[in-house]
Amino acid sequence: MDKIIIEGGRPLHGTIKVSGAKNAALPLMAAAILAPGVHVLHNVPDLRDTRTMLKLLASFGIKWQWREADQALLLDATTIDNVEASYDLVKTMRASVLVLGPLLARMGRARVSLPGGCAIGARPIDFHIQGLARLGVVSTLESGYVEGSVDGRLKGNSIYFDIPSVTGTENLLMAAALAEGVTEIKNAAREPEIGNLIDMLTGMGARIDGRDTDCLVVRGVKKLRPAEATIIPDRIETGTYLIAAAATGGELTVTACNPGHLDALFEKLRTAGVEVTVGRNQISVCRRQPLKSVDIKTLPYPGFPTDLQAQIMALMCLGNGLSVITETIFENRFMHVAELRRMGANIKVDGHSAIVKGVGSLTGAPVMATDLRASASLVIAALAAQGETEISRVYHLDRGYDNLVGKLVGVGAVIRREAEQND
Ligand code: UD1
């Protein structure tokens, strides 16, 4: 397993081009299951998670090809001859559950391994299962697998989420697209990645109203056709680099992004004393003054994203006072705290809140990546810290950051990747 070594204390300067969003690529790839024929996806990021999704789709009989000429991913879903998502694939990526809705809608049955525990909390899939049951799916749990089947076509119905679930909304949208009759999804999640999926489904012939609202209405159709779609820019990758620049006191422009998706982050950065300049599809940040500590609370979109909580915490470690960071989405998303402490951070966890007392500067240390976004926070802390930091278990980063080391080297970071022998 590889490790990343960072020589910190160097402000980032320059430009980084952001990649397509992991959390949009995964549902859009799963949507290909819904219609026979060749789908074309643009701006697909090269990540461990997108490769896992390709393996999963291939295990169903979907053929894929990378078209060099226009850097497009072609998914040929003409034949599906297997409806089982194996534990081996699902255990490495929770978002594998996204194949459940489309498989049931097209094939009438599916067998998908339960994702199991996960570092950031229990993360059940009960909303997915209950929502699909409302559409007529009968499911059982056997040997760690959810086995679902439907008699004939799925039937439209009204679904209400207790908490807006991102992949839950996506799974049900895909299932409802091919159901008989109308499905209403109330208290639906409103993340931009869902809008991206709705656009692809609409291109396939689906009839969906309420895009960007918490009430989605799907008028089911009998058949869908293959579509061509473009993955939206990754707002979490964008935010991660902007925070890294702020942490190092640098000046950075992130291009090919959608600034409209990050208002909650800009508000916090500006309050912390970071200059933020927003263009049509680029954002620049610059920090010329000491960082002010600000309070953060994660919320469903358009609130502050839980996927940037660990990164902003690394920034707040460098603040001039107290910052209270409250996590409301996942119950155990403070795994990075212990590692940040190893770098000199002063953080106390009290239930769902972390109280961060700014220490002005951090020092390099050997640390361990525990999950995707926690790893990103360690990279940010290491870039800002004095001295060398070694981050082990970087496979977590490979799940969600396309060419992280290359992109950071391009803006002046002293960072390298090495093979680790004894992990
Ligand atoms: C998605 C994102 C993830 C992000 C999260 C919250 C993808 C592939 N992943 O994950 O990066 O951190 O949204 O923005 O898009 N819940 C249940 N039962 C369910 C489903 C969810 O109780 O069946 C709870 C979860 O434990 C959590 C909350 O609902 O407390 C929201 O989770 P959800 O939006 O479903 O997260 P994911 O879709 O898994």
Side-chain angles (χ1 to χ4, degrees):
M1 273 168 216
D2 291 1
K3 59 186 177 185
I4 282 178
I5 297 147
I6 297 175
E7 190 63 50
R10 290 169 173 79
L12 301 183
H13 279 285
T15 302
I16 289 181
K17 186 172 174 233
V18 89
S19 300
K22 168 180 91 69
N23 287 355
L26 299 175
L28 268 69
M29 289 166 78
I33 296 171
L34 289 166
V38 181
H39 303 255
V40 182
L41 294 180
H42 300 279
N43 204 29
V44 179
D46 184 8
L47 304 168
R48 204 158 69 98
D49 274 10
T50 47
R51 286 174 184 259
T52 303
M53 183 55 92
L54 278 180
K55 276 190 211 156
L56 199 55
L57 296 180
S59 77
F60 304 146
I62 293 179
K63 299 185 178 63
W64 65 270
Q65 191 195 328
W66 182 251
R67 193 165 65 194
E68 272 303 324
D70 60 348
Q71 301 279 296
L73 174 66
L74 274 54
L75 294 170
D76 182 349
T78 305
T79 313
I80 291 188
D81 50 21
N82 168 45
V83 294
E84 177 171 318
S86 74
Y87 177 63
D88 279 350
L89 289 171
V90 175
K91 74 176 181 204
T92 65
M93 185 181 72
R94 208 192 115 77
S96 306
V97 72
L98 282 166
V99 302
L100 187 58
L103 280 176
L104 284 162
R106 175 162 166 192
M107 307 299 290
R109 55 203 176 87
R111 189 167 189 265
V112 177
S113 168
L114 273 180
C118 144
I120 65 173
R123 296 181 87 181
I125 58 161
D126 51 329
F127 298 167
H128 302 241
I129 311 275
Q130 281 159 19
L132 288 166
R134 301 276 298 162
L135 302 185
V137 174
V138 177
S139 56
T140 53
L141 178 64
E142 235 181 75
S143 318
Y145 280 76
V146 180
E147 260 188 82
S149 63
V150 59
D151 192 10
R153 272 173 78 191
L154 295 166
K155 308 270 181 308
N157 206 339
S158 178
I159 292 158
Y160 172 82
F161 281 121
D162 279 349
I163 306 169
S165 161
V166 178
T167 49
T169 302
E170 292 164 345
N171 232 338
L172 288 159
L173 270 174
M174 292 188 278
L178 278 178
E180 201 180 321
V182 181
T183 300
E184 253 189 322
I185 309 175
K186 294 175 186 162
N187 201 22
R190 290 182 289 160
E191 269 66 5
E193 292 76 18
I194 294 170
N196 202 183
L197 174 65
I198 290 177
D199 291 345
M200 173 162 173
L201 293 173
T202 306
M204 291 167 77
R207 294 164 63 207
I208 303 170
D209 290 322
R211 188 186 188 281
D212 299 330
T213 74
D214 64 0
C215 183
L216 300 168
V217 180
V218 187
R219 280 166 237 283
V221 295
K222 271 198 181 137
K223 264 181 137 176
L224 293 168
R225 54 180 181 269
E228 181 157 0
T230 302
I231 313 296
I232 57 170
D234 196 315
R235 62 195 165 98
I236 305 302
E237 187 197 12
T238 304
T240 300
Y241 290 127
L242 295 177
I243 295 171
T248 61
E251 199 166 350
L252 186 80
T253 298
V254 176
T255 61
C257 60
N258 186 337
H261 294 162
L262 281 162
D263 289 333
L265 173 67
F266 301 157
E267 179 61 29
K268 292 298 171 186
L269 288 178
R270 287 186 176 124
T271 312
V274 179
E275 289 169 36
V276 181
T277 314
V278 174
R280 209 170 66 82
N281 56 5
Q282 66 174 48
I283 307 158
S284 301
V285 292
C286 170
R287 178 162 73 83
R288 301 178 214 272
Q289 48 174 308
L291 269 169
K292 294 190 200 97
S293 294
V294 291
D295 293 343
I296 315 274
K297 187 177 192 174
T298 65
L299 287 168
Y301 188 83
F304 193 93
T306 174
D307 284 351
L308 284 175
Q309 179 258 107
Q311 298 89 318
I312 201 92
M313 190 183 294
L315 183 69
M316 286 302 111
C317 290
L318 307 164
N320 65 353
L322 271 189
S323 159
V324 179
I325 300 182
T326 308
E327 173 59 56
T328 75
I329 311 288
F330 294 113
E331 70 268 30
N332 186 24
R333 205 169 198 181
F334 287 135
M335 308 283 284
H336 40 286
V337 167
E339 301 301 303
L340 289 171
R341 281 196 195 122
R342 295 175 53 76
M343 301 179 71
N346 183 341
I347 308 169
K348 206 174 108 195
V349 175
D350 184 8
H352 290 293
S353 294
I355 297 122
V356 184
K357 189 166 188 292
V359 289
S361 73
L362 296 169
T363 46
V367 289
M368 195 184 285
T370 49
D371 71 56
L372 170 56
R373 306 305 171 184
S375 320
S377 84
L378 297 178
V379 170
I380 292 170
L383 289 168
Q386 297 304 315
E388 189 179 275
T389 297
E390 233 185 68
I391 306 174
S392 52
R393 303 205 176 165
V394 298
Y395 56 87
H396 290 292
L397 280 167
D398 299 335
R399 285 192 43 219
Y401 289 90
D402 190 345
N403 188 23
L404 175 114
V405 169
K407 288 186 185 187
L408 285 173
V409 165
V411 292
V414 180
I415 174 171
R416 65 181 197 278
R417 188 175 177 130
E418 275 180 12
E420 199 173 43
Q421 301 307 327
N422 50 358
D423 190 285

